[in-house]
Amino acid sequence: MSILTSLGAARAALDGGELDAAGLFALARERARKLDDGDRPIRAFLSLSKNGPSAPIKAGSAGDGPLAGVPLAIKDNICTSELPTTCGSRILEGYVSPYAATAVRRLEAAGARVLGKTNCDEFAMGSSTENSAYGPTRNPLDRDRVPGGSSGGSTAAVASGTVPVALGSSTGGSVRQPAAFCGIVGVKPTYGRVSRYGLVAFASSLDQIGILSRSARDAAVVLECISGFDAYDSTSQDRPPPRAAALDDVDLAGAVIGVPTEYMGQGLDDRIATLIEETLAAASAAGATVKEVSLPHTAYAIPCYYVVAPAEASSNLARYDGVRYGFRASASDIRDMYEKTRGAGFGAEVKRRIMLGTYALSAGYYEAYYLRAQHVRHAIADDFLRVFADGVDVIFAPTTPTPAFLLGEKFEDPYAMYLSDVYTVSANLVGIPSMSIPIGEVDGLPVGGQLMAPHWEEERMLGLAARLERQIDFELPEVSP
């Protein structure tokens, strides 16, 4: 197994003198290049850093932690000050931010090294990473299939063994869904846990920076590092970060796991339902109590999300007009420039959502659509609060209704694509922490199970996930270049 598949393996190689930080960085960079060779490139990265660590890490310095000297990947809608931040869009082609996101700065302060920026659906709008203006990312486990989205590049970078951890973003499931498709762990924290400063806005009340890794413990290490209040983000909260060391204090024995009936019905692949039942049986054998719960407004989550998210997107993306930064089309006057710049710079999915959102916010329709969707959002939140108040520690459900689908299979059917996130959007609407862990395979393709916890309960959620990982003992196949 590659030394780039876990933080522990990478640090052991550094501490044991097998490689220095520069050598480890070069190894990761070479692997990224090899995986993009040939006629079926994975295309996890849009840009790679040319320079490794500028100086060796010295014993006794701030570089002694679990992230010191470790290469990692950053989704291309999270700002870095040296590599381009394109959001997978032509309208930001070549744009380099004058500042780095708070989460990136905190990782670099802990000694981590940014290997590169990863491919994503344009402005994070998609569920397959096929909407990128720079071509689709392929699933490392089956290159005829999608890796999920919109954080497909970051997910593929981890699943392929190029980096042990990566940052993605989640607006409606864009960390958990691709994690399930590629057989790794994807974590979406509580809204406000991680600063959004430097995360290019899609839908501000839903967007969050998330983590991709191969284990709950590695995700916990990164989450502890990037959590905390940030004066640059008014939605960030001043709360103690979840501690990776606390995972050892969590046990399945005595835990109460809720299983929502609404997630286990029509539309769910029967084989995934069986894997969910097997996982719950293993948890029960380890001492957990499994109980059926109800989240009655689940059916309204997708329509609610696809009013709220496009409405916020139409407002956030108004800034891309060719005046201040990014692509500018040649035009005869200012109005012509706006139209030609946005027409040529944005892809079809982004245009679709801008039009949907503008319509929902327009005079005469705001109350009928956006305001009503916000009322439904509160009803969905009340469902979760009621279940957690009834003594449930975590909710466990499928992450996706099917395994990874074929490239192009749903590209021309937006509604079918949107339903890929049917089990994940609720956690974003409510703002609770959630994560996906691999629970088995269907026809050789990984399948994920999703844990959802009360606000600010990441330590318990990650600890229970780590215990479930031991019970399931899933091993991701090695990916050959």
Side-chain angles (χ1 to χ4, degrees), residues 310-311 314-315 342 353-363 365:
S314 71
S315 176
R342 292 169 69 81
R353 297 198 194 194
I354 289 174
M355 289 189 289
L356 284 170
T358 302
Y359 180 81
L361 292 176
S362 61
Y365 296 99

Side-chain angles (χ1 to χ4, degrees), residues 78-378:
I78 300 173
C79 290
T80 51
S81 57
E82 296 180 358
L83 293 170
T85 299
T86 72
C87 297
S89 178
R90 292 294 180 194
I91 210 162
L92 283 176
E93 188 169 10
Y95 172 73
V96 178
S97 170
Y99 64 91
T102 297
V104 173
R105 288 192 289 104
R106 287 175 175 172
L107 288 171
E108 290 180 329
R113 313 296 181 181
V114 176
L115 176 65
K117 304 294 286 294
T118 56
N119 201 8
C120 58
D121 285 303
E122 186 179 10
F123 284 98
M125 297 183 191
S127 303
S128 64
T129 315
E130 292 174 285
N131 289 323
S132 170
Y134 306 100
T137 296
R138 297 175 182 270
N139 191 316
L141 306 180
D142 183 341
R143 298 195 191 189
D144 291 327
R145 296 181 182 272
V146 303
S150 61
S151 303
S154 287
T155 306
V158 173
S160 64
T162 305
V163 291
V165 291
L167 293 188
S169 72
S170 175
T171 306
S174 292
V175 167
R176 287 158 289 152
Q177 185 253 26
F181 279 3
C182 292
I184 64 171
V185 170
V187 176
K188 182 202 83 67
T190 304
Y191 186 85
R193 171 72 78 184
V194 177
S195 171
R196 292 185 299 112
Y197 182 70
L199 171 62
V200 178
F202 161 13
S204 303
S205 73
L206 301 166
D207 296 339
Q208 294 175 252
I209 290 176
I211 302 159
L212 287 312
S213 66
R214 294 234 188 165
S215 70
R217 186 169 297 278
D218 281 359
V221 170
V222 175
L223 183 59
E224 182 175 359
C225 176
I226 66 177
S227 294
F229 175 73
D230 177 19
Y232 292 109
D233 176 12
S234 61
T235 64
S236 68
Q237 299 293 305
D238 188 10
R239 287 175 172 266
R243 298 165 300 130
L247 269 61
D248 294 330
D249 300 329
V250 181
D251 202 336
L252 278 168
V256 180
I257 301 175
V259 184
T261 56
E262 293 80 6
Y263 284 55
M264 301 298 292
Q266 185 177 3
L268 177 64
D269 188 305
D270 290 340
R271 297 165 296 179
I272 295 179
T274 298
L275 288 171
I276 292 289
E277 291 168 1
E278 291 174 355
T279 303
L280 290 168
S284 182
T289 298
V290 176
K291 61 184 290 187
E292 190 175 278
V293 299
S294 179
L295 300 169
H297 291 93
T298 295
Y300 304 108
I302 284 286
C304 174
Y305 175 84
Y306 279 102
V307 172
V308 173
E312 295 185 13
S314 71
S315 176
N316 279 325
L317 270 63
R319 70 194 70 178
Y320 304 105
D321 53 14
V323 175
R324 286 160 287 190
Y325 41 72
F327 168 72
R328 177 185 295 178
S330 298
S332 57
D333 56 49
I334 188 73
R335 183 182 181 88
D336 190 39
M337 186 193 72
Y338 286 163
E339 291 177 354
K340 288 183 176 178
T341 295
R342 292 169 69 81
F346 288 139
E349 183 62 29
V350 173
K351 292 176 185 175
R352 180 184 294 117
R353 297 198 194 194
I354 289 174
M355 289 189 289
L356 284 170
T358 302
Y359 180 81
L361 292 176
S362 61
Y365 296 99
Y366 174 85
E367 291 83 1
Y369 292 100
Y370 186 73
L371 190 59
R372 182 171 294 183
Q374 292 291 12
H375 290 318
V376 173
R377 184 178 186 176
H378 282 290

